[in-house]
Amino acid sequence: EDEQIVAEIMGRRFFPDLITHKTWEGFHFAGHEIRITEATDCYGAVVWPSALVLCYFLETNYKQCNLVDKNVIEIGAGTGLVSIVASLLGAFVTATDLPELLGNLQHNVLQNTKQKCRHQPCVKELSWGIDLEKNFPRSSCHFDYIMAADVVYYHPFLDELLLTFDHLCKNDTVILWAMKFRLEKENQFVERFQTLFDLEVISNFPSLNIALYKAMRKGRMET
């Protein structure tokens, strides 16, 4: 079953027939052909398999996870694929990442959502743990969903990442988080994450070493 679903997920990706001056990959999600411009000089400008896993879940579970008119924020949006798919499924999306990634992120989001979405998504800078209350005040920012794909890897900002999840998450916010396990550090982060949030594995793909989680604040999952 794992191999069959993984084949379906990876089958959503396609490549240009001809080599062009811009590097891009194509994807089929939410009834649309999505073209993502990439760069090879940084991790955040490449589409990783965890993003495809999360997009596939959003598309195939659109009734249980109805995004229409929901307020969604993606942290570590990278190339923007997850944000684009969520937008095409009817959500009002805020795609966030570091300043140096915003140009490419904005290009991809605009190219793939303009005049195609119920709500035009916005792109905003978010450096984990920095100026959170200033840029995303708790009193006025309410997100129905926080989405993240492959934000945990070998980097020195895991404390700031956990702080960011904590700041953005209200009692009724649902976190959808796809993660590839590479090193013991990822397991340690999951353990720390569970001190603040209840965590449920909703999909697991051993052949990709990727798990898809649903999380809410402690004690809120059942309600």
Side-chain angles (χ1 to χ4, degrees):
E1 184 180 2
D2 169 56
E3 293 179 356
Q4 182 179 351
I5 297 177
V6 167
E8 165 65 15
I9 293 172
M10 295 305 158
R12 300 303 186 91
R13 170 185 273 156
F14 67 92
F15 300 93
D17 295 328
L18 300 173
I19 297 176
T20 63
H21 67 286
K22 282 190 176 181
T23 303
W24 64 271
E25 286 187 68
F27 303 89
H28 292 288
F29 285 109
H32 290 267
E33 180 181 291
I34 301 167
R35 293 193 177 193
I36 297 293
T37 300
E38 297 183 316
T40 57
D41 55 350
C42 62
Y43 291 125
V46 176
V47 177
W48 299 98
S50 291
L52 274 69
V53 167
L54 182 48
C55 289
Y56 181 81
F57 172 81
L58 296 177
E59 182 190 75
T60 55
N61 293 272
Y62 69 94
K63 290 183 179 179
Q64 302 94 314
C65 181
N66 185 355
L67 296 183
V68 175
D69 297 332
K70 296 298 192 300
N71 203 8
V72 172
I73 186 169
E74 185 186 4
I75 60 175
T79 60
L81 180 61
V82 172
S83 288
I84 291 164
V85 172
S87 297
L88 293 171
L89 291 171
F92 181 85
V93 176
T94 302
T96 70
D97 215 312
L98 295 169
E100 58 267 27
L101 296 171
L102 295 187
N104 189 57
L105 175 57
Q106 178 72 65
H107 168 77
N108 284 329
V109 167
L110 186 62
Q111 174 178 266
N112 290 285
T113 62
K114 189 175 182 180
Q115 297 182 335
K116 298 178 184 178
C117 295
R118 187 180 180 94
H119 308 288
Q120 186 60 39
C122 68
V123 172
K124 190 170 181 179
E125 176 185 343
L126 173 53
S127 299
W128 298 337
I130 298 176
D131 293 332
L132 293 175
E133 182 59 29
K134 176 183 175 183
N135 296 323
F136 299 91
R138 288 179 185 270
S139 61
S140 58
C141 287
H142 181 281
F143 297 106
D144 299 295
Y145 289 92
I146 299 170
M147 297 187 184
D150 230 357
V151 293
V152 180
Y153 50 90
Y154 190 74
H155 61 70
F157 304 109
L158 294 180
D159 289 342
E160 291 81 358
L161 174 59
L162 187 59
L163 182 65
T164 302
F165 273 124
D166 185 41
H167 180 84
L168 296 174
C169 189
K170 297 289 179 67
N171 283 340
D172 58 348
T173 302
V174 175
I175 298 171
L176 294 175
W177 167 29
M179 186 171 87
K180 182 177 178 67
F181 288 84
R182 301 177 180 88
L183 302 166
E184 181 59 27
K185 207 165 187 178
E186 281 92 344
N187 292 314
Q188 294 172 1
F189 182 83
V190 171
E191 292 172 4
R192 293 181 56 209
F193 186 87
Q194 288 179 289
T195 64
L196 299 176
F197 303 98
D198 289 324
L199 196 62
E200 174 189 349
V201 178
I202 52 178
S203 295
N204 194 22
F205 302 100
S207 63
L208 295 174
N209 212 20
I210 291 174
L212 177 60
Y213 294 110
K214 173 185 175 182
M216 294 186 75
R217 284 205 175 276
K218 284 267 182 202
R220 302 297 299 184
M221 191 80 85
E222 295 79 9
T223 58

